[in-house]
Amino acid sequence: MSRDRVYQALAERQGEFLSGQELSRRLGVSRAAVWKAVAALRSRGCEIEARSGLGYRLAATPDLLDRQTVEACLTAPRDNWQVLAQVDSTNTACRRLAADGAPDGTVVMADCQTAGKGRRGRSFLSPAGQGLYLSILWRPDCAPELLLPLTALSAVAVCRAVKRLSGVSPAIKWPNDLVLKGRKLCGILTEMSLEGESGRVDHVIVGIGVNCRQRAEDFPPELADIAASLDMVLPAPVRRAALAAALLEELDELRRGVLFAPERWLESYRARCLTVGSRVQVLRGDVHAEAEALAVDDRFGLTVRYDDGTTETLRSGEVSVRGLYGYV
């Protein structure tokens, strides 16, 4: 691919200029192809300086997300995963692969989503070069109710991955939003498909989107007071490829040892859950009710007490919980 070859040629010059004509000659492509490759690299986060009479040079080390950069960060080889420059939605791509018989553990990552999906039919902003968008396909042989803790467990997996790389552990807004300094870093969407006759799980897809490189001005006005990126809240940047590898390994650990023993990560979840002890709004359709969040039960449900004294344990698929005085 011209994009990768242009990047390699510029990287070999270690910040020196390389003319478009020389790139064209060395790579055996047209000047137009070089220009398009440079534009593609810039869209993925590469800072490439162009100067008349001199050509192009890498102005800074880019935060590339591709199979080569992720593979270099894995501690052991892994099968059945891919990294795409662009996709409609990594969850949708995994669903297509599931229909074609893709095995348990299949992973799709992307640098950009054109139709990223959030909970309750919302969209998830997924610009190129700024986030990590990853979905994993599992085929557990079980009844669907055994997967009730999955969304919460996935939040713990992301927290563990971020802490591995930064030393900082995000908090969790029940059930699965990662939060640092009062703002959302990550969204998680779990989608399940059941077998028609048995009612057992055919497959489940966990989709994760992490804001990494965004600046405050990159978020639209409706998210300006809610969302943040790792760059905005951590003391040092985290490479997306390293985060992808760490997250992939934590999700594999979740599948191997935690999915059917969720108690292994229960106390870790409880320690991170900032919703407990807070006043919240419980949103069930068009009905809103105020309550106090009391505890997380052993299936990761949120027990709340309403103002009339009654209590209820909420499950993530049934309702949404918001902070009474803001996002958290």
Side-chain angles (χ1 to χ4, degrees), residues 133-157:
Y133 317 110
L134 179 155
S135 295
I136 189 164
L137 164 70
W138 287 325
R139 295 187 180 277
D141 182 15
C142 68
E145 56 266 25
L146 291 180
L147 299 184
L148 279 174
L150 177 56
T151 298
L153 292 171
S154 300
V156 176

Side-chain angles (χ1 to χ4, degrees), residues 41-65:
L41 288 167
R42 284 171 169 164
S43 73
R44 301 188 65 201
C46 292
E47 294 185 32
I48 299 179
E49 182 181 356
R51 192 172 296 180
S52 179
L54 294 175
Y56 304 100
R57 71 172 178 181
L58 286 176
T61 302
D63 184 22
L64 294 181
L65 183 70

